[in-house]
Amino acid sequence: MASNPQEELKRMNKRKYKQLLSAHDPEKILGILGCKIPGFLDEKEIFHAILRQMVKTSQARIGILLTIEEERRQFVFSGAQGIHLSEQTVESFAWSLRTMQGKLKEGYEKPQLFTSAEIARRNDFIFERSMGFQSLFYQPLGIEGHVFGAVLLGNREARVNFSSEDMRRIKALLPIVCTEMERIWLYRELQSMAINMIHAFASAIEAKDTFTRGHSERVTKFSVEMARLLGWKKKTREVLRMSSIMHDIGKIGVPESILTKPGKLTAQEYAVIKRHPENGAEIVGKIPQMLQTLPGILCHHERYDGKGYPQGIGGKDIPEFGRLIAVADAFDAMTGTRPYRNELSMNTALEELRRHRGTQFDPEMVDVFLQAYYTGIIP
C-alpha cells in the first residue's frame, strides 16, 4: 500500500528534492512537453501540456487526465481533450473511476488496454460507451510506487484499438511526464508547508497583542470575498489570500510595549509602527515563492490621496492588493477593541468608509466592500 504523503516526502530522493527547490532547468522539461507558460508551476497549464503530449504520442482521439487528491486519496478530473467533460460528469465514470479507485489501495499498477470488442461487450463500460469510447488505454502516472495520477486514452486515430507499439511510445514518454507530476506534488507539499508557516507567523504576531487576535483571518476573509465580487481569477485570489494573512507580519518586530500601549503613541513609537509594512516586505521578500504577495504587505497603509505610508504613493499607483486590503484592514480595525479605544459599531465603521471614500480609500474598493456587506457576503 502506498505510504502517506509525509512519509513519501521524507523518503524522496534528495537529488530530485534539491532540483525542485532550485527550480532546476524546468524550461527544458516543459519545452519537451510543448508547454509555453511564464511560470514553471502553473498546474493547469502543465496538466494540459501533459495530456496534449500523451494524446499526440498515442495518436488517440480522446484523452482524459486524472490526478490524485492526496487528502482523500481519490482520483479527480484535471483535463480532457477530444471530449467535453466536467468534473461532475467524470464522477459518473463506471469502470474507469471505480476500478482505478480500488487500485490506489494497491499502489502503482500496470497500464491496461481494452479493445473495441471488450468495450462493446462488457456492462461495466456503459458510461464509457455513452461518452464515445470505442477502445480504452489506461496508463497510471507514478514513480517508485507512488501514484500521482492516470491518463485515459480512447479511439486510436488510424485504427480503433491500441497496440503494444502505442504502449511502447507512451512508456518512453513516462519519465518526463512523471517527473513533472512529481514536481507538482512536491510543490504542493512545499506550498502547504509555507501556508502553515504563514499561519504560524500570524498567530505569533497576534499572541503578542490579544486585542488583534483573529484580525488577519478576518481581513483575509473580507479581502477574498471582495476579490470574488470584483471577478478576480482563482489564482489571483489565492495569492491575495496569502498576502492578506501576512499583511501585518512586519509587526513581529514591534515591541509589545508599543503594540499594547493603552494611551496615545509618541512620535517615535508611531514611527516604529509605521515601519511594519517595510519590515514585512523585507521578511517575505526573501522567499521567492511569495514575491507576488508583496504589494499587499507593503502597500496596505498607503492612502488614495497619497498621504499614507511607507511610500506616500496615491491613486492607481497603489497596487490593487494594497488598495483592497486597506479597506478590509480598516473595517476590522475599527470594529475591534484596541488598547486605546473601544470598538466602533458596524454602522459607524461603514459610515467612516464612506466618508473617506476617495481620500483614504479607493472608491471602487469601498463600493465593493459595501456591496459584500449589504448582501450578507461579509457578516
Side-chain angles (χ1 to χ4, degrees):
M1 181 181 290
S3 303
N4 64 45
Q6 289 76 20
E7 292 173 349
E8 287 290 339
L9 188 59
K10 290 177 183 178
R11 292 203 303 269
M12 194 64 66
N13 183 288
K14 290 183 180 180
R15 179 183 61 81
K16 293 176 183 174
Y17 193 66
K18 287 179 180 178
Q19 283 179 352
L20 173 75
L21 294 177
S22 62
H24 177 69
D25 201 14
E27 306 230 341
K28 180 178 179 183
I29 292 175
L30 292 179
I32 294 171
L33 292 173
C35 186
K36 298 177 181 178
I37 58 174
F40 112 84
L41 276 172
D42 185 325
E43 285 192 13
K44 185 176 180 180
E45 192 64 33
I46 293 175
F47 287 152
H48 285 172
I50 287 172
L51 183 57
R52 282 195 304 268
Q53 191 61 38
M54 296 196 79
V55 167
K56 180 181 177 181
T57 299
S58 65
Q59 298 181 32
R61 293 185 183 276
I62 298 175
I64 298 173
L65 180 67
L66 303 169
T67 55
I68 297 296
E69 187 208 61
E70 287 292 345
E71 188 173 336
R72 292 184 297 167
R73 292 296 294 166
Q74 290 185 351
F75 279 110
V76 294
F77 174 62
S78 293
Q81 185 173 328
I83 186 172
H84 179 71
L85 285 176
S86 65
E87 187 171 353
Q88 292 74 24
T89 306
V90 171
E91 289 176 357
S92 302
F93 263 92
W95 180 88
S96 304
L97 279 187
R98 186 176 64 246
T99 303
M100 289 189 298
Q101 197 66 62
K103 289 181 179 181
L104 281 178
K105 299 174 182 178
E106 304 166 20
Y108 189 77
E109 286 292 319
K110 295 180 180 179
Q112 295 186 55
L113 291 178
F114 297 94
T115 66
S116 56
E118 289 178 280
I119 298 292
R121 184 183 70 248
R122 290 172 50 168
N123 289 331
D124 51 354
F125 284 115
I126 292 174
F127 183 79
E128 284 73 14
R129 287 198 298 271
S130 72
M131 295 305 296
F133 277 91
Q134 296 172 290
S135 62
L136 182 62
F137 180 3
Y138 161 65
Q139 175 62 62
L141 305 174
I143 292 177
E144 298 175 358
H146 188 90
V147 179
F148 300 115
V151 66
L152 302 177
L153 302 167
N155 306 358
R156 178 77 154 74
E157 287 185 354
R159 57 184 185 278
V160 171
N161 293 328
F162 295 93
S163 67
S164 57
E165 178 61 22
D166 298 320
M167 294 181 70
R168 187 193 64 77
R169 285 199 301 270
I170 286 291
K171 185 177 181 181
L173 182 63
L174 286 180
I176 296 170
V177 168
C178 292
T179 295
E180 278 306 290
M181 297 290 283
E182 179 187 48
R183 188 185 296 274
I184 289 173
W185 181 78
L186 283 170
Y187 178 77
R188 286 175 177 177
E189 289 295 308
L190 290 178
Q191 191 176 49
S192 177
M193 187 187 306
I195 291 172
N196 288 338
M197 290 175 64
I198 289 165
H199 281 286
F201 267 121
S203 297
I205 295 164
E206 293 175 1
K208 297 175 66 174
D209 181 5
T210 56
F211 289 97
T212 60
R213 187 161 294 160
H215 170 69
S216 294
E217 290 187 3
R218 290 190 297 272
V219 170
T220 299
K221 182 177 180 180
F222 298 161
S223 297
V224 171
E225 293 303 334
M226 290 169 66
R228 200 186 309 278
L229 284 178
L230 287 166
W232 290 8
K233 293 182 179 179
K234 182 179 179 181
K235 186 175 179 180
T236 304
R237 296 200 305 269
E238 287 306 308
V239 177
L240 175 68
R241 183 188 303 277
M242 290 189 286
S243 187
S244 302
I245 292 171
M246 295 189 294
H247 77 281
D248 274 343
I249 196 171
K251 286 184 178 179
I252 202 163
V254 178
E256 288 182 48
S257 58
I258 295 178
L259 287 176
T260 59
K261 184 176 179 179
K264 185 177 179 181
L265 297 177
T266 66
Q268 292 81 5
E269 290 169 336
Y270 187 49
V272 173
I273 284 285
K274 287 172 67 176
R275 283 280 306 166
H276 83 267
E278 293 173 289
N279 292 341
E282 185 176 347
I283 292 169
V284 176
K286 295 175 181 177
I287 309 172
Q289 295 86 349
M290 297 294 174
L291 293 180
Q292 289 178 291
T293 67
L294 290 181
I297 295 169
L298 183 62
C299 300
H300 68 280
H301 280 295
E302 298 291 354
R303 289 175 52 114
Y304 202 69
D305 59 10
K307 297 179 181 180
Y309 61 88
Q311 300 173 93
I313 55 177
K316 300 301 181 182
D317 288 337
I318 305 171
E320 280 186 309
F321 277 18
R323 285 182 273 131
L324 187 151
I325 294 174
V327 174
D329 182 45
F331 180 80
D332 190 69
M334 287 188 286
T335 54
T337 301
R338 293 296 184 266
Y340 49 87
R341 63 156 174 78
N342 293 325
E343 74 273 14
L344 303 181
S345 69
M346 293 288 185
N347 288 336
T348 301
L350 293 171
E351 186 54 41
E352 284 294 296
L353 292 183
R354 291 191 192 92
R355 190 162 70 89
H356 293 285
R357 181 183 180 276
T359 52
Q360 183 174 350
F361 306 115
D362 179 345
E364 180 186 17
M365 297 304 176
V366 171
D367 291 346
V368 77
F369 183 91
L370 294 175
Q371 179 186 351
Y373 182 83
Y374 285 115
T375 56
I377 297 173
I378 292 177

